[in-house]
Amino acid sequence: MNRKQKQELARLEKQILKMAHYIEGRGVFPPFREWDSDRKKELKALLRQRSDLLNKMFECTPKEVEELAQVNTLLNVLTKKMHAKALSLYRAILKEGYDPDFDDDIVIDGTLRFVFSDEGSYYCREDADPNPYGSRFAPMLDILYDIHEDTPECAFCKVSYDVHHKPEMPAEEFGLDDFLDDGASWNEVPLNRAEFKEINICHAVHDLICHKDYSIPDLLSMNDFWVEVNILHQHIVDRDGNRFSCIEPDKEE
């Protein structure tokens, strides 16, 4: 990391904040859902430049390696909790059975995501130099969280009720097993550093760094992760009272 890189980072972040019309405490204005696709692409390009630059600046100190291992372990554990909860709920539903008077579909949907809700979502270090990169991490994380609102999850699982499924079946029969974390490290660029060789990079970390616009220093600044497992019961009917069943289509009324 050098002075020129820090100056370029400051320039990029100033441009990002200006383009997003970012207001402290209120976020992006107008919200991204009201932006046209070309403007979104332009901002995403700037965020990608920032991410690439921060990854080049990343000093990878022993403390930072320790922090990455900690976050990686946390996300791996949360991913497994998400799968386990979804599996437990689905098996309970299979044991009870569906309600033919209402249920045309039942969907179990699990997600793990980073959430930026306030300043507490930013992990503020108590080191002598808590931010050697000079990034405005809190507003940048806020903007990144908002721009990825369509695909915020870094891990997910999903299953629809199937009459052929039995409670005693293994998770993989339902598609609820954590098959992406099979023991092989997701240590792809820029996570393929020699300093990380002892860390088995989980897929959630890989997703945030390699498929979204977060940098490694951004990851180490995250402090708010949410796991949600939702159950959706659907009753699908037209004006004439005809139903469309995803569970037993041959018995549609």
Side-chain angles (χ1 to χ4, degrees), residues 175-242:
L176 291 177
D177 56 317
D178 184 16
F179 66 92
L180 290 172
D181 288 307
D182 59 359
S185 181
W186 287 89
N187 57 343
E188 298 179 8
V189 178
L191 294 165
N192 60 340
R193 301 183 62 123
E195 296 92 339
F196 298 157
K197 65 181 179 181
E198 301 300 325
I199 303 173
N200 192 303
I201 304 294
C202 71
H203 187 267
V205 166
H206 164 83
D207 183 86
L208 287 166
I209 301 300
C210 301
H211 294 295
K212 294 180 171 63
D213 299 306
Y214 298 103
S215 67
I216 298 173
D218 287 325
L219 176 71
L220 302 187
S221 299
M222 294 178 180
N223 195 42
D224 205 347
F225 298 101
W226 290 16
V227 182
E228 293 183 359
V229 180
N230 298 301
I231 304 174
L232 174 67
H233 291 261
Q234 290 183 310
H235 184 66
I236 308 167
V237 61
D238 67 16
R239 287 177 56 169
D240 295 325
N242 299 307

Side-chain angles (χ1 to χ4, degrees), residues 29-36 39-40 149:
F29 184 81
F32 285 123
R33 61 181 174 272
E34 297 179 16
W35 288 34
D36 60 54
R39 191 178 173 200
K40 278 187 178 180
E149 64 180 350

Side-chain angles (χ1 to χ4, degrees), residues 5-19:
Q5 288 175 320
K6 293 181 77 169
Q7 289 174 338
E8 175 63 12
L9 179 64
R11 184 195 67 79
L12 272 172
E13 292 192 350
K14 184 178 180 181
Q15 192 174 353
I16 290 167
L17 290 167
K18 182 178 179 181
M19 185 176 182

Side-chain angles (χ1 to χ4, degrees), residues 137-154:
F137 282 113
M140 290 296 113
L141 287 174
D142 195 358
I143 290 170
L144 283 160
Y145 169 64
D146 281 351
I147 205 165
H148 289 300
E149 64 180 350
D150 292 335
T151 54
E153 64 278 352
C154 56

Side-chain angles (χ1 to χ4, degrees), residues 105-160:
D105 199 6
I106 307 173
V107 180
I108 311 290
D109 187 5
T111 58
L112 164 62
R113 58 197 171 107
F114 165 71
V115 172
F116 191 96
S117 52
D118 54 38
E119 289 286 333
S121 301
Y122 165 59
Y123 182 75
C124 187
R125 294 165 183 79
E126 297 180 356
D127 303 346
D129 187 2
N131 182 8
Y133 303 99
S135 173
R136 298 187 61 182
F137 282 113
M140 290 296 113
L141 287 174
D142 195 358
I143 290 170
L144 283 160
Y145 169 64
D146 281 351
I147 205 165
H148 289 300
E149 64 180 350
D150 292 335
T151 54
E153 64 278 352
C154 56
F156 71 93
C157 61
K158 185 175 183 178
V159 63
S160 291

Side-chain angles (χ1 to χ4, degrees), residues 14-59:
K14 184 178 180 181
Q15 192 174 353
I16 290 167
L17 290 167
K18 182 178 179 181
M19 185 176 182
H21 299 290
Y22 186 81
I23 303 171
E24 293 282 354
R26 295 184 59 186
V28 177
F29 184 81
F32 285 123
R33 61 181 174 272
E34 297 179 16
W35 288 34
D36 60 54
S37 59
D38 289 341
R39 191 178 173 200
K40 278 187 178 180
K41 286 180 182 178
E42 187 178 349
L43 182 61
K44 283 189 175 184
L46 290 173
L47 290 167
R48 174 49 59 187
Q49 288 180 46
R50 173 187 173 273
S51 174
D52 290 343
L53 178 57
L54 271 168
N55 286 332
K56 290 176 183 176
M57 295 169 66
F58 184 54
E59 295 188 313

